[in-house]
């Protein structure tokens, strides 16, 4: 096996891609990477067959959805599981696969980006990767909705047709933009469906103070994005006397009434996903990883780490439905948190679109009265690079007469700071997970209605951070609404071809971040670009 090539996330080595026979920056092995490439090609083949036959199948659609999720950054690191997925997909699309792993990997070598570059050229391969990664991001959000029982046949049809196109593409840059905007429009539909699902299943988010200091007692930590799996853990551990904490992107779970109703959901522990190796080692109980954001575990906590859902890691115990009670058994044998005299501390979350829409008219009044000068939407993924301190500094230096809207794990760069209020309205409004981008979109459009203007004329600056494929689908969703003048950091994706960069800069004024001070000064000057 010659090795891997992967450039789908912001950690791409050298800003170009992870390669070689070892491991990628994320910890994924070359073997796992190659099997992911093969799995995607088989999924595209199955989609092509379904489109050609004008057929549909819920089981095949789910198989394709699972394949897209399994190949995302920080989800499935397990070659054995990936091989099993490949063999099931091969059977579904009637593609015979070699019996041995070695021969399977040899076949997989012909399925990656490097092979595509040889066949179609570097620019075309990058365009196709851009579209594929956006499709993956949209699929991750749709997977959450499907798991809650909310499906849309038209969305499944979109995934089939989008993947089928990748089998025999002939993309010019302008055509690529159109296909990307189609992905953005479908992402909008998916985000709205997921919002509907979560609001109906868990209740509408409400502004809620969440403890970020521990409570004495035995403890379980749940990280990731999956509210459904968190609920399963809460049900399985109810009445055991064991406390459950959220971590990372599960922080907003506390704002959902039907989750907050569990008294043993006591708080949030730690910060962003990339700090997990230190934080999990210090946590005095078992840890469950529910969705992407898995990192290679350290020895200190390897034996008390569990995965669920699509997440897999070699030699880490995987829990299926009905097995979450095992977490309580492990928690009982771990020390838990001791009694302390540390003053309790809380942070405010839960500004879903219902809560936000209730205060938007007052925000508009304060803007017209001159008490609020500007809104800043600082959202997106977090990561380990120190250049991301940009977002911390930016939030800190934004003037006191401005509001900050935030969502996704990038907020952990500043969400424990005190920002105060303007006429009783918190200056920092936490809208939720990255999957709650629907809330931000609803709020922006409603704000434009109330101010009798268009989205791009609002006193609003959008500064986003990206890390993986979901951020790409959100970016395209915003473009599909005509949103312009977005700043993106910490750098442009490695899979952006030069012609795509030029088109996005010209058509949507997408620009990289520079320095917090310079970008803030430009935003406040409100000067034409």
């Amino acid at each position: 096996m010659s090795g891997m090539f992967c450039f789908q996330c912001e950690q791409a080595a050298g800003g170009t891609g992870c390669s070689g026979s070892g491991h990628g920056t994320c910890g994924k092995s070359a073997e796992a990477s190659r099997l992911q490439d093969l799995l995607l090609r088989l999924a595209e083949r199955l989609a092509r067959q379904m489109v050609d036959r004008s057929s549909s199948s819920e089981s095949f659609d789910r198989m394709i959805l699972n394949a897209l999720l399994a190949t995302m950054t920080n989800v499935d690191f397990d070659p054995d599981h990936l091989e099993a997925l490949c063999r099931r997909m091969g059977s579904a699309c009637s593609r015979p696969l070699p019996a041995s792993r070695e021969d399977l990997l040899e076949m997989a070598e012909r399925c990656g980006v490097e092979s595509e570059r040889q066949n179609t050229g570097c620019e075309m391969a990058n365009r196709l990767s851009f579209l594929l990664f956006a499709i993956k991001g949209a699929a991750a959000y749709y997977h959450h909705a499907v798991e809650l029982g909310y499906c849309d046949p038209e969305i499944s049809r979109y995934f089939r047709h989008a993947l089928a196109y990748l089998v025999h593409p002939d993309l010019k840059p302008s055509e690529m933009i159109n296909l990307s905007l189609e992905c953005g429009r479908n992402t909008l539909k998916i985000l709205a469906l997921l919002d509907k699902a979560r609001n109906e299943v868990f209740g509408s988010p409400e502004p809620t103070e969440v403890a970020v200091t521990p409570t004495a007692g035995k403890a379980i930590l749940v990280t990731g994005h999956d509210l459904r799996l968190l609920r399963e853990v809460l049900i399985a551990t109810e009445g055991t006397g064991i406390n459950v904490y959220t971590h990372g992107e599960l922080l907003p779970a506390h704002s959902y009434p039907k989750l907050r109703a569990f008294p043993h959901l006591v708080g949030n522990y730690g910060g962003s996903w990339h700090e997990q190796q230190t934080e999990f080692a210090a946590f005095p109980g078992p840890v469950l990883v529910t969705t992407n954001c898995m990192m290679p575990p350290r020895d200190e906590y390897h034996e008390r780490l569990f995965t669920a859902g699509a997440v897999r890691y070699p030699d880490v115990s995987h829990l299926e439905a009905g097995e979450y009670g095992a977490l309580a058994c492990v928690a009982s044998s771990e020390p838990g948190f001791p009694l302390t005299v540390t003053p309790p501390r809380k942070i405010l979350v839960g500004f879903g679109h219902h809560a936000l829409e209730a205060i938007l008219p007052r925000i508009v009044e304060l803007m017209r009265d001159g008490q609020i000068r500007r809104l800043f939407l600082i959202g997106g993924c977090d990561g380990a690079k120190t250049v991301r301190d940009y977002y911390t500094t930016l939030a800190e230096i934004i003037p006191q007469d401005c509001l900050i809207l935030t969502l996704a794990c990038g907020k952990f760069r500043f969400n424990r700071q005190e920002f105060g209020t303007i006429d009783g309205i918190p200056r920092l409004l936490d809208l939720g997970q990255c999957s709650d981008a629907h809330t931000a979109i609803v709020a922006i459009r409603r704000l434009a209605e109330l101010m009798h203007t268009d989205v791009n004329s609002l006193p609003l600056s959008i500064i986003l951070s990206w890390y993986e494929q979901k951020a790409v689908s959100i970016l395209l969703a915003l473009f599909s609404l005509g949103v312009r003048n977005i700043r993106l950091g910490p750098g442009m994706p490695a899979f952006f071809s030069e012609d795509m960069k030029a088109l996005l800069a010209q058509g949507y004024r997408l620009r990289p971040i520079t320095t917090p001070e310079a970008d803030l000064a430009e935003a406040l000057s409100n000067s034409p670009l």
Side-chain angles (χ1 to χ4, degrees), residues 401-427:
D401 59 355
C402 298
L403 295 183
I404 302 171
L405 311 180
T406 190
L407 74 164
C409 58
K411 64 172 167 267
F412 286 102
R413 291 273 165 180
F414 49 81
N415 72 334
R416 295 198 182 191
Q417 299 190 33
E418 296 292 339
F419 288 94
T421 62
I422 299 177
D423 195 42
I425 295 175
R427 285 191 58 236

Side-chain angles (χ1 to χ4, degrees), residues 249-513:
E249 281 270 63
L250 278 176
L251 167 63
H254 296 266
S255 66
Y256 288 87
K258 292 183 181 179
L259 294 175
R260 193 171 64 248
F262 288 93
H264 59 306
L265 180 62
V266 297
N268 188 78
Y269 172 86
S272 183
W273 68 271
H274 66 90
E275 299 173 305
Q276 66 182 255
Q277 290 177 324
T278 300
E279 292 174 347
F280 292 0
F283 187 79
V287 179
L288 179 69
V289 185
T290 65
T291 51
N292 64 312
C293 298
M294 175 83 177
M295 293 178 70
R298 291 182 176 173
D299 292 342
E300 299 98 300
Y301 60 88
H302 188 282
E303 291 187 356
R304 51 185 174 85
L305 183 69
F306 299 83
T307 60
V311 185
R312 295 290 199 288
Y313 199 91
D315 300 321
V316 170
S317 297
H318 186 80
L319 300 180
E320 300 289 354
E323 298 178 345
Y324 300 111
L327 296 170
C329 296
V330 176
S332 297
S333 64
E334 295 294 329
F337 286 107
L339 284 169
T340 67
V341 292
T342 304
R345 186 179 177 193
K346 296 183 177 182
I347 58 176
L348 186 63
V349 303
F351 286 92
H353 61 86
H354 294 294
L356 201 55
E357 286 183 70
I359 62 173
L360 281 179
R362 181 57 183 154
I363 289 175
V364 171
E365 289 178 9
L366 293 171
M367 295 180 81
R368 287 173 176 160
D369 291 344
Q371 295 186 57
I372 295 178
R373 187 183 353 174
R374 194 168 187 83
L375 306 180
F376 288 82
L377 174 57
I378 308 176
C381 316
D382 198 12
K385 291 182 178 178
T386 55
V387 69
R388 289 178 179 271
D389 290 341
Y390 165 98
Y391 298 95
T392 308
T393 302
L394 177 63
E396 290 173 344
I397 65 175
I398 287 174
Q400 295 293 309
D401 59 355
C402 298
L403 295 183
I404 302 171
L405 311 180
T406 190
L407 74 164
C409 58
K411 64 172 167 267
F412 286 102
R413 291 273 165 180
F414 49 81
N415 72 334
R416 295 198 182 191
Q417 299 190 33
E418 296 292 339
F419 288 94
T421 62
I422 299 177
D423 195 42
I425 295 175
R427 285 191 58 236
L428 180 66
L429 298 169
D430 187 341
L431 312 187
Q433 297 182 348
C434 61
S435 53
D436 293 310
H438 178 72
T439 289
I441 291 165
V442 168
I444 291 170
R445 298 173 87 170
R446 178 60 178 151
L447 196 61
E449 290 176 9
L450 292 171
M451 299 189 74
H452 306 292
T453 188
D454 63 274
V455 168
N456 292 308
S457 299
L458 287 170
L460 168 71
S461 297
I462 302 177
I463 303 100
L464 302 181
S465 55
W466 87 281
Y467 176 76
E468 39 88 332
Q469 300 80 60
K470 288 184 292 183
V472 181
S473 65
I474 295 295
L475 189 65
L476 293 181
L478 292 171
F479 288 160
S480 74
L481 292 172
V483 177
R484 290 172 170 78
N485 303 320
I486 296 172
R487 284 201 179 271
L488 181 66
M492 290 296 175
F495 50 83
F496 272 19
S497 62
E498 291 304 316
D499 52 17
M500 288 300 299
K501 287 180 186 177
L503 280 170
L504 293 175
Q506 181 180 3
Y508 295 93
R509 295 181 180 174
L510 177 68
R511 296 172 298 158
I513 58 173

Side-chain angles (χ1 to χ4, degrees), residues 36-153:
Q36 288 180 353
D37 291 340
L38 176 60
L39 180 59
L40 286 171
R41 297 294 87 79
L42 292 170
E44 290 170 3
R45 178 186 174 97
L46 177 59
R48 177 81 264 174
Q49 290 175 353
M50 294 174 72
V51 169
D52 288 345
R53 298 167 184 168
S54 299
S55 64
S56 62
S57 163
E58 286 187 16
S59 62
F60 283 179
D61 284 337
R62 187 60 184 268
M63 193 178 292
I64 289 171
L65 188 63
N66 290 342
L68 290 168
L69 182 58
T71 57
M72 283 187 61
T73 301
N74 293 357
V75 176
D76 195 333
F77 295 77
D78 188 353
D80 290 342
H81 184 251
L82 289 166
E83 179 180 344
L85 292 178
C86 286
R87 295 196 180 282
R88 285 198 289 271
M89 190 71 76
S91 177
C93 66
S94 303
R95 177 65 165 93
L97 299 179
S100 72
R101 172 76 64 85
E102 183 179 358
D103 290 340
L104 193 67
L105 290 170
E106 185 176 342
M107 172 187 280
E109 284 191 35
R110 301 189 293 273
C111 299
V113 175
E114 290 171 309
S115 177
E116 202 151 48
R117 284 176 170 175
Q118 292 175 2
N119 295 331
T120 65
C122 188
E123 288 291 300
M124 175 63 80
N126 281 15
R127 290 175 209 157
L128 295 173
S129 294
F130 177 33
L131 181 57
L132 174 61
F133 298 157
I135 293 168
K136 283 189 187 185
Y141 293 131
Y142 188 50
H143 187 272
H144 283 298
V146 170
E147 286 290 295
L148 291 172
Y150 287 70
C151 305
D152 183 340

